[in-house]
Structures are given as structure tokens and as C-alpha cells.
């Protein structure tokens, strides 16, 4: 039903190649994803060296609005610097101001912009590492890379083994049916593992703040992982 609905509104299109059917995002579909997940728009942008800082003081009586604000800040990729202080390198000031006005929170929230060079002390990468807990996220990326690499190497070994059997005439006629059944089961098992890997990958994307590369360590594993996912 979801696929049918997205085909109908034009967010995806159906491509037929031979006997295979593929679904592909349209330009309108890509724009819809960016609207729903605005952080993706900043994936390859160069950092303008500006920090956006949000301070707020909302009483316990307005706890619902306070939670709503925190939810919006997280949606826009802000990281919690202190209890009521959030920061971001992304320019979501306009979006945030519109939200504050619509939510009648403008009198409780202050939004500042400051060049990183104006800060008296502090390393930008170290600040980002602590605020967004990047070490933990990168570790999860590396574990998923390891899982994919293990899957690929196992598949390559199986292909080489089957080729060796074929060359040696290892597939005796009466065993062919059993071998084919085993191969079918193995392929289905691999497809299930790939589905799980892709689901895990999407889960990680939802918590990734997509910080500019200027704020990431040299061993940031997202790029390598994305390249491997595209090969699956």
C-alpha cells in the first residue's frame, strides 16, 4: 500500500529491466525526503564556522512545551551542551524561529550565532565529539562494516568452493537436487542478513547529526559504510 501510494503521488517510479522490476526515487521524492529529514541537506556542505546556540528557561508548569522544544532541537540535529543549552553547526535559525513563533515560545528561548574563531578557547572537533557522543556512533558504524565485510568474504569463499567443485566434477548427479535446495536456503539466509544490515544502517542514519567533515575525525566510518551498503 505504501509503495502504491508513493507511485501515485510521483515520489517513486517503477523501472522494468528484462524480468526485473526496480523502484527509483524521483526528483520530487528526493525533495520530499529532504523536507522530512532536513539534516540530509547538510550532508556534503562545507561548515561556515558558525555555531548556533539555543538557550531556554521554561518552567516545570510548561513541561509539555519544553519537551516539544527539545524534540524539535533534536530533529534539527542540535546537541545538548548543558541542560538548557543546545548547539549546532547547521543553519536552521529560520526554521527554529518559525517553530518558536508558532509554539508561542519566543519569549522563553534565545538563539545566538557565533563564529568559532570568536570563542576564547576550545577545539571544535573535541567539542563535537563530546556533545554528539561521536565515538559511540562511529563504533556502531565500524561494527556494521565488520558485519558486511564478513558477509562478503563468506559469500566469496562459497563461490570459490562451488567453482572448485564444478571443475572437479564434485556435483554427482543424484546429489544435484540436494545441492540446489541448500543453495536456495543459503541465498534466502543471505537476503535476510542484508535486510537486517540495511535496517540497522537506516537506524544509525536517524541518530547521525550529519556534522560537517571539519568537525569529524579522520577515521569517521560513515563514508566507507555507505559505500559498502550500495554494493549489497
Amino acid at each position: 500500500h505504501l509503495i502504491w501510494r508513493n507511485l501515485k503521488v510521483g515520489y517513486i517510479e517503477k523501472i522494468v529491466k528484462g524480468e526485473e522490476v526496480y523502484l527509483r526515487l524521483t526528483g520530487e521524492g528526493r525533495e520530499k525526503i529532504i523536507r522530512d529529514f532536513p539534516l540530509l541537506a547538510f550532508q556534503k556542505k562545507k561548515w561556515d564556522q558558525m555555531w548556533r546556540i539555543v538557550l531556554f528557561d521554561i518552567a516545570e508548569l510548561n513541561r509539555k512545551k519544553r519537551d516539544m522544544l527539545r524534540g524539535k532541537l533534536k530533529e534539527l540535529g542540535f546537541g545538548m551542551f548543558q541542560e538548557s543549552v543546545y548547539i549546532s553547526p547547521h543553519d536552521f535559525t529560520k526554521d527554529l524561529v518559525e517553530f518558536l513563533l508558532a509554539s508561542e515560545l519566543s519569549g522563553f528561548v534565545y538563539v545566538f550565532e557565533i563564529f568559532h574563531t570568536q570563542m576564547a578557547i576550545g577545539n571544535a572537533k573535541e567539542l563535537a565529539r563530546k556533545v554528539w557522543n561521536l565515538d559511540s556512533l562511529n563504533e556502531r558504524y565500524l561494527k556494521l562494516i565488520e558485519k558486511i565485510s564478513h558477509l562478503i568474504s563468506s559469500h566469496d569463499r562459497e563461490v570459490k568452493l562451488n567453482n572448485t567443485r564444478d571443475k572437479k566434477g564434485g556435483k554427482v548427479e543424484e546429489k544435484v537436487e540436494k545441492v540446489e535446495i541448500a543453495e536456495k536456503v543459503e541465498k534466502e539466509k543471505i537476503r535476510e542478513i542484508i535486510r537486517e544490515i540495511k535496517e540497522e544502517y537506516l537506524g544509525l542514519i536517524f541518530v547521525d547529526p550529519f556534522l560537517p567533515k571539519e568537525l569529524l575525525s579522520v577515521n569517521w566510518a560513515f563514508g566507507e559504510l555507505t559505500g559498502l551498503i550500495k554494493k549489497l
Side-chain angles (χ1 to χ4, degrees):
H1 178 72
L2 179 63
I3 291 172
W4 173 83
R5 188 173 62 191
N6 281 281
L7 281 168
K8 187 176 181 181
V9 298
Y11 292 149
I12 60 176
E13 59 183 346
K14 184 166 67 173
I15 307 295
V16 180
K17 293 183 179 180
E19 297 181 355
E20 296 291 334
V21 178
Y22 301 87
L23 297 175
R24 183 170 64 189
L25 271 176
T26 62
E28 191 176 353
R30 292 180 185 277
E31 291 178 4
K32 175 70 164 57
I33 288 178
I34 294 298
R35 288 198 301 272
D36 290 347
F37 305 98
L39 282 175
L40 294 176
F42 290 86
Q43 199 169 0
K44 296 181 180 179
K45 283 190 176 182
K46 187 176 181 180
W47 187 31
D48 60 6
Q49 300 293 312
M50 295 278 287
W51 288 108
R52 283 78 190 180
I53 303 173
V54 177
L55 307 172
F56 60 90
D57 185 15
I58 303 175
E60 182 66 24
L61 292 174
N62 289 322
R63 183 175 181 179
K64 187 175 181 180
K65 285 193 173 183
R66 186 177 62 193
D67 291 343
M68 188 190 307
L69 172 62
R70 285 174 175 161
K72 184 64 177 180
L73 290 172
K74 289 180 180 178
E75 176 189 321
L76 295 177
F78 278 80
M80 189 175 74
F81 181 70
Q82 290 183 1
E83 186 66 29
S84 298
V85 181
Y86 283 71
I87 65 172
S88 173
H90 301 310
D91 187 10
F92 280 124
T93 306
K94 182 180 177 181
D95 303 68
L96 185 57
V97 169
E98 289 177 356
F99 169 79
L100 294 175
L101 292 173
S103 306
E104 299 180 345
L105 283 169
S106 56
F108 305 95
V109 183
Y110 301 90
V111 183
F112 302 92
E113 290 186 335
I114 181 173
F115 275 106
H116 180 72
T117 53
Q118 292 177 318
M119 297 175 67
I121 191 172
N123 179 278
K125 285 188 178 181
E126 184 63 20
L127 176 62
R129 187 180 71 83
K130 290 180 178 179
V131 170
W132 284 276
N133 197 14
L134 296 182
D135 289 346
S136 176
L137 180 57
N138 200 45
E139 183 64 29
R140 293 172 69 183
Y141 280 147
L142 290 171
K143 286 182 179 179
L144 195 52
I145 287 173
E146 185 179 352
K147 188 182 294 186
I148 296 173
S149 299
H150 177 70
L151 176 66
I152 292 173
S153 62
S154 297
H155 178 262
D156 289 345
R157 282 197 303 270
E158 184 65 26
V159 169
K160 288 179 181 178
L161 182 60
N162 287 337
N163 289 341
T164 302
R165 285 172 179 166
D166 290 341
K167 289 176 181 178
K168 292 181 178 180
K171 286 187 177 180
V172 182
E173 192 64 33
E174 59 267 22
K175 292 184 178 180
V176 169
E177 187 177 352
K178 289 184 178 180
V179 170
E180 288 178 347
I181 292 174
E183 288 178 348
K184 186 176 180 181
V185 171
E186 183 63 23
K187 285 180 180 178
E188 182 55 40
K189 182 180 177 181
I190 290 174
R191 281 196 289 267
E192 181 60 31
I193 293 173
I194 289 174
R195 280 195 291 268
E196 291 174 358
I197 287 173
K198 288 185 176 180
E199 286 179 6
E200 189 175 345
Y201 173 72
L202 288 174
L204 291 175
I205 284 180
F206 281 120
V207 297
D208 193 319
F210 285 104
L211 299 178
K213 63 180 181 180
E214 294 90 344
L215 297 174
L216 300 172
S217 64
V218 293
N219 66 339
W220 186 244
F222 175 77
E224 181 184 353
L225 174 58
T226 300
L228 288 172
I229 288 291
K230 289 178 180 179
K231 294 179 181 179
L232 294 178

